[in-house]
Amino acid sequence: EPDWLQLFSETDAGDRVARAGIVIPVLGLEAGYYAVTVREAQVQSPIVGQPYACSKGWVLHVTAASLVLGGVGYLKRWNQAHPKLRRMAVPAGFYAVSVSLGAAAGDDDYALDFELHRCSVRPPFAADLGVSLRA
């Protein structure tokens, strides 16, 4: 099992895969329970009120049948078949992505919202790789 966490954090490989649209790192989250949503832009955000923080300009390039969501700890001993990784169907193609953190409507502490804008060509990468999403 490869240690992607070490590779991505100790070399420029993490920046390269983010710029290529392979991963979207979400850094600086507080400990707690999160309602995580991946949605198309025309679908209403689940965040209650104004977001606490937002990170725009990410690129996502979907080439497989599903998108994989997982905490950073899973990168330490990467196993794409790990049962706790979440998978969701997202049509192949390019997306411009905004990530927002805000109040959740239910029992969760926070809402983490990935808003996808489908693009016919690769959108420009404009995200701040050092941004930290904090409440």
Side-chain angles (χ1 to χ4, degrees), residues 61-86:
H61 185 198
V62 178
T63 59
S66 65
L67 185 65
V68 177
L69 299 172
V72 69
Y74 292 102
L75 294 174
K76 180 72 179 159
R77 289 188 307 268
W78 180 249
N79 173 359
Q80 67 183 13
H82 195 290
K84 291 198 176 180
L85 292 172
R86 300 291 178 241

Side-chain angles (χ1 to χ4, degrees), residues 49-60:
Q50 292 297 313
Y52 303 141
C54 187
S55 179
K56 298 180 179 187
W58 295 99
V59 172
L60 178 63

Side-chain angles (χ1 to χ4, degrees), residues 12-135:
D12 67 345
D15 291 356
R16 288 196 322 262
V17 296
R19 288 181 188 282
I22 298 168
V23 300
I24 298 177
V26 180
L27 306 173
L29 295 176
E30 306 274 337
Y33 292 99
Y34 287 80
V36 179
T37 306
V38 178
R39 63 181 176 87
E40 294 180 10
Q42 64 270 23
V43 176
Q44 185 173 348
S45 171
I47 292 176
V48 176
Q50 292 297 313
Y52 303 141
C54 187
S55 179
K56 298 180 179 187
W58 295 99
V59 172
L60 178 63
H61 185 198
V62 178
T63 59
S66 65
L67 185 65
V68 177
L69 299 172
V72 69
Y74 292 102
L75 294 174
K76 180 72 179 159
R77 289 188 307 268
W78 180 249
N79 173 359
Q80 67 183 13
H82 195 290
K84 291 198 176 180
L85 292 172
R86 300 291 178 241
R87 287 170 178 72
M88 58 184 353
V90 174
F94 289 106
Y95 297 86
V97 181
S98 297
V99 183
S100 297
L101 174 69
D107 292 336
D108 294 305
D109 299 319
Y110 303 101
L112 184 62
D113 183 37
F114 293 82
E115 180 180 301
L116 279 58
H117 298 262
R118 190 172 179 109
C119 301
S120 57
V121 297
R122 178 186 291 274
F125 180 88
D128 179 352
L129 290 166
V131 74
S132 182
L133 288 181
R134 294 207 178 265

